[in-house]
Amino acid sequence: VSQTPSLEQIRAAAMRIAGHVHRTPVAGSATLDAMLDAQIHFKCENLQKVGAFKARGATNAVFSLDESQVRRGVITHSSGNHAAALAFACGLRGVACTIVMPRDAPRIKVDAVRGYGAEIVFCERDRRDQVCSELQRKQGSTLVHPFTDPAIIAGQGTAALELLEQVGALDIVLAPVGGGGLLSGTAIVVKELFPEARVIGAEPFAVDDAYRSLESGELQPTVEGAQSWGDGLMTGLGALNFRILSERDVEIVRVEEDEMVAAARFIVERMKLVVEPSAATVLAAMHRLGAQLKGKRVGAILSGGNTDFAWYPSPVSS
Amino acid sequence: VSQTPSLEQIRAAAMRIAGHVHRTPVAGSATLDAMLDAQIHFKCENLQKVGAFKARGATNAVFSLDESQVRRGVITHSSGNHAAALAFACGLRGVACTIVMPRDAPRIKVDAVRGYGAEIVFCERDRRDQVCSELQRKQGSTLVHPFTDPAIIAGQGTAALELLEQVGALDIVLAPVGGGGLLSGTAIVVKELFPEARVIGAEPFAVDDAYRSLESGELQPTVEGAQSWGDGLMTGLGALNFRILSERDVEIVRVEEDEMVAAARFIVERMKLVVEPSAATVLAAMHRLGAQLKGKRVGAILSGGNTDFAWYPSPVSS
């Protein structure tokens, strides 16, 4: 049986999570539209619960559990937005939640997860998988993988579904790509409803395994030890996600670090929206596409807004 | 004749500027509502054209000019949001615009005004009034004062009018106070439509002339040489604005610098909205009001989002 969620499953996810997560607004910029000679619609998932689209997938996954799974709880390993999102969703439904985190995870992320009421288990960074599996067996809990779980992919797809409901047909839709949960869900929705539309993933050059996987037709290994401001995109593309993207002719546009930072600054300074650099990859990719956007209706998912502004230039140097 | 704009004149201003400025969204935070046990509605003027409510007043003033005034152009002195707003509005109507600015005005503000097509005349900081008056006589141009001009006050009042249309009746409405244009317009609208509602100005302790003016019943002089992150609020209260606020029993709540910065951080980090510290005074004032807000429907105008983040703690120290 296919693990790939259908459009109908994504519609069902949208019904399931309605009332628990925000129907986020769509933002634009007259300045940007003039620069690119296009109509750009940003889906503001930075304004989503927990500050990222991850609330959609996690809420769908948690509210898809059966009663026996609810009793045994869920587990995942993550120090990022998925951890906070899963903790948030479990809090909504009263499900026990265990998050396995590296000992050196940023304090602010630890506090966020704890604030939602999850239990945190710390371990060495390279033992996360193992610790998570052992605990899962012991607890009998359900592992909610951040991007290969079909319920997660279906939940993330609801962002593009809403965007199309809000702004109508689009010629091009962009989303950032890391593990590929958001981009997979986006591709399913857009290609089903508008088969002629282009779906484009935006990826930092530093971690371009999705680009190389789709170019070569074979899933490439995760880039290890890379440095990028796109901290939400350091994960390697998942196998299921690779298949979903390949089958739908999804394209990848790679962006340089300075392009990502400049795009994030534009969104902060001109659009007054707080975004994390990962989210700004979609705008950086638009600038790379340049004349290809001319006269087009373009949608892009601003994936999240959780940032400490470490990438932001200090006032003196600006 | 009274210089005080009526509610009808503010309604006329709303019609006049519609299509030229944004009908800005209203934002809230479930976390904040829980903290304050109240329903808080922020009117997002940080998402307004030119990044501040000033676009409303300037657009109303420029589109209220008669043909002979249009031919002779407008002038003002400002290095802040009013300068950019007036330049923006003049660009819309094709009116010549002269901005008198101190030589040491920040480059970013100079560039913004120039970008909207205004002519900039630089002078020494203490000669701005004089240079502006001389130029006005020579040009025969119309001076558009940033907060005492009735057309400006009427335009700023449209923000509160929209907020009430968007969220319905409110028990308490807050706005920052510097010269008093925004707070005056807000007070006229709110007290006319909901006479029992409290209207509260939020003001930094460092420049608390509005507080002392309303307490003493006599307009107090501008505080000179003060230091505050609320750079939009350093101006002294105008005489007309003082009268409007006095006649309507407007209250002032003063806030400390650290309260303003903490409030701005909350809006940036939790609500993902870029605000300048001046705008965050309204949230800082809400925390001071504390239990007085319990069970109330509260509105507040987030006045602007033009900031270089100099006030934001560096990531290492956060």
Side-chain angles (χ1 to χ4, degrees):
Chain A
V1 293
S2 168
Q3 294 259 286
T4 305
S6 65
L7 178 61
E8 281 318 300
Q9 286 170 314
I10 296 174
R11 289 196 194 281
M15 301 280 283
R16 193 174 290 121
I17 68 178
H20 296 303
V21 303
H22 293 306
R23 186 176 176 89
T24 53
V26 176
S29 156
T31 305
L32 184 63
D33 285 2
M35 284 165 75
L36 292 169
D37 195 7
Q39 266 183 275
I40 315 292
H41 304 280
F42 290 104
K43 179 68 171 161
C44 294
E45 291 299 299
N46 57 326
L47 304 178
Q48 186 51 269
K49 292 276 182 184
V50 312
F53 72 90
K54 298 271 186 184
R56 294 176 180 272
T59 302
N60 188 48
V62 168
F63 282 83
S64 298
L65 298 172
D66 64 30
E67 284 305 321
S68 107
Q69 289 174 312
V70 164
R71 279 192 300 276
R72 284 170 290 151
V74 302
I75 187 167
T76 199
H77 63 84
S78 161
S79 54
N81 290 329
H82 176 63
L86 195 64
F88 158 79
C90 285
L92 290 178
R93 199 175 174 192
V95 175
C97 180
T98 306
I99 307 287
V100 178
M101 273 194 179
R103 281 188 211 290
D104 58 356
R107 167 80 179 278
I108 188 166
K109 302 222 162 167
V110 174
D111 290 347
V113 167
R114 206 167 261 153
Y116 290 119
E119 191 196 347
I120 301 175
V121 175
F122 291 101
C123 72
E124 301 310 317
R125 192 166 273 276
D126 57 359
R127 291 194 63 245
R128 280 182 298 175
D129 267 323
Q130 196 187 332
V131 170
C132 191
S133 300
E134 284 169 13
L135 268 171
Q136 191 205 339
R137 274 194 301 272
K138 214 172 81 181
Q139 299 175 334
S141 54
T142 302
L143 175 71
V144 182
H145 190 278
F147 47 89
T148 63
D149 186 316
I152 291 285
I153 295 172
Q156 320 303 32
T158 63
L161 188 62
E162 261 180 37
L163 174 60
L164 291 167
E165 288 169 7
Q166 288 167 303
V167 306
L170 293 169
D171 302 304
I172 302 174
V173 180
L174 299 101
V177 60
L182 177 63
L183 187 57
S184 300
T186 302
I188 294 165
V189 167
V190 174
K191 291 288 190 174
E192 187 76 28
L193 293 173
F194 300 99
E196 302 302 313
R198 291 172 71 184
V199 176
I200 298 175
E203 186 176 45
F205 268 99
V207 283
D208 67 346
D209 59 290
Y211 174 82
R212 289 181 293 102
S213 296
L214 290 171
E215 278 290 300
S216 66
E218 275 184 38
L219 184 59
Q220 300 297 313
T222 304
V223 179
E224 299 288 351
Q227 298 257 314
S228 171
W229 287 119
D231 55 339
L233 307 177
M234 307 300 278
T235 327
L237 187 64
L240 173 59
N241 310 278
F242 170 63
R243 206 174 70 221
I244 293 171
L245 302 183
S246 301
E247 288 170 357
R248 284 162 186 78
D249 296 322
V250 171
E251 305 159 60
I252 307 287
V253 170
R254 293 175 294 176
V255 304
E256 298 287 3
E257 295 296 307
D258 61 346
E259 295 168 338
M260 185 172 21
V261 168
R265 279 191 72 175
F266 182 92
I267 296 167
V268 166
E269 295 175 3
R270 303 299 295 260
M271 300 181 67
K272 311 299 179 190
L273 293 170
V274 174
V275 287
E276 50 195 75
S278 303
T281 52
V282 293
L283 175 55
M286 283 182 214
H287 285 297
R288 286 213 162 223
L289 290 164
Q292 293 179 42
L293 302 187
K294 194 170 172 170
K296 302 290 187 197
R297 290 174 51 81
V298 180
I301 299 178
L302 286 184
S303 48
N306 295 323
T307 181
D308 63 3
F309 286 95
W311 52 274
Y312 194 84
S314 66
V316 271
S317 70
S318 68
Chain B
V1 293
S2 167
Q3 293 260 287
T4 305
S6 65
L7 178 61
E8 281 318 301
Q9 286 170 313
I10 296 175
R11 288 196 194 282
M15 299 282 280
R16 193 174 291 122
I17 68 179
H20 296 303
V21 303
H22 293 307
R23 187 174 175 89
T24 53
V26 176
S29 157
T31 305
L32 184 64
D33 284 1
M35 284 165 74
L36 293 170
D37 195 8
Q39 266 183 278
I40 315 291
H41 304 280
F42 289 106
K43 178 68 171 163
C44 294
E45 290 298 300
N46 57 328
L47 304 177
Q48 186 52 271
K49 292 279 183 182
V50 314
F53 73 90
K54 298 271 185 183
R56 295 177 180 271
T59 303
N60 188 48
V62 168
F63 282 84
S64 297
L65 298 173
D66 64 31
E67 284 305 320
S68 105
Q69 288 173 312
V70 164
R71 278 193 301 276
R72 283 169 292 153
V74 302
I75 187 167
T76 201
H77 63 86
S78 162
S79 55
N81 289 329
H82 175 64
L86 194 64
F88 158 79
C90 285
L92 289 178
R93 199 174 175 191
V95 175
C97 180
T98 306
I99 307 287
V100 178
M101 273 194 178
R103 278 188 215 290
D104 58 357
R107 168 76 180 280
I108 190 167
K109 302 222 162 167
V110 174
D111 288 349
V113 167
R114 207 168 258 152
Y116 290 118
E119 191 196 347
I120 301 175
V121 174
F122 291 102
C123 71
E124 301 311 315
R125 194 167 272 275
D126 56 0
R127 290 196 62 245
R128 281 184 297 176
D129 267 324
Q130 194 186 336
V131 169
C132 191
S133 300
E134 283 169 14
L135 267 170
Q136 191 206 339
R137 274 195 300 274
K138 213 172 80 180
Q139 297 175 336
S141 53
T142 302
L143 175 71
V144 181
H145 189 278
F147 47 89
T148 62
D149 186 316
I152 290 286
I153 294 172
Q156 319 304 32
T158 63
L161 188 62
E162 262 180 35
L163 174 61
L164 291 167
E165 288 169 6
Q166 288 166 304
V167 306
L170 293 169
D171 301 306
I172 301 174
V173 180
L174 300 100
V177 58
L182 177 64
L183 187 57
S184 300
T186 302
I188 295 165
V189 166
V190 174
K191 291 288 188 174
E192 186 76 26
L193 293 172
F194 299 98
E196 302 304 311
R198 290 173 72 184
V199 175
I200 297 174
E203 185 176 46
F205 270 100
V207 283
D208 67 348
D209 59 291
Y211 174 82
R212 290 182 289 105
S213 297
L214 290 171
E215 278 290 301
S216 65
E218 276 185 40
L219 184 59
Q220 301 296 312
T222 305
V223 179
E224 298 289 350
Q227 298 257 314
S228 171
W229 287 119
D231 54 340
L233 308 177
M234 307 299 279
T235 326
L237 187 64
L240 172 60
N241 310 275
F242 170 63
R243 206 175 69 220
I244 293 171
L245 302 183
S246 301
E247 288 170 357
R248 283 162 186 78
D249 297 321
V250 171
E251 304 159 62
I252 307 289
V253 170
R254 293 175 295 174
V255 303
E256 297 287 2
E257 293 296 307
D258 61 345
E259 295 168 338
M260 182 171 27
V261 167
R265 279 191 72 175
F266 182 92
I267 296 167
V268 166
E269 294 174 4
R270 303 299 296 261
M271 301 181 66
K272 311 301 178 188
L273 293 171
V274 174
V275 287
E276 49 195 79
S278 303
T281 52
V282 291
L283 176 55
M286 283 182 214
H287 286 296
R288 287 214 161 222
L289 290 165
Q292 295 179 41
L293 302 187
K294 194 168 171 170
K296 303 290 187 195
R297 291 175 50 81
V298 181
I301 299 179
L302 286 184
S303 48
N306 295 322
T307 180
D308 61 4
F309 287 94
W311 54 272
Y312 194 82
S314 65
V316 273
S317 69
S318 70

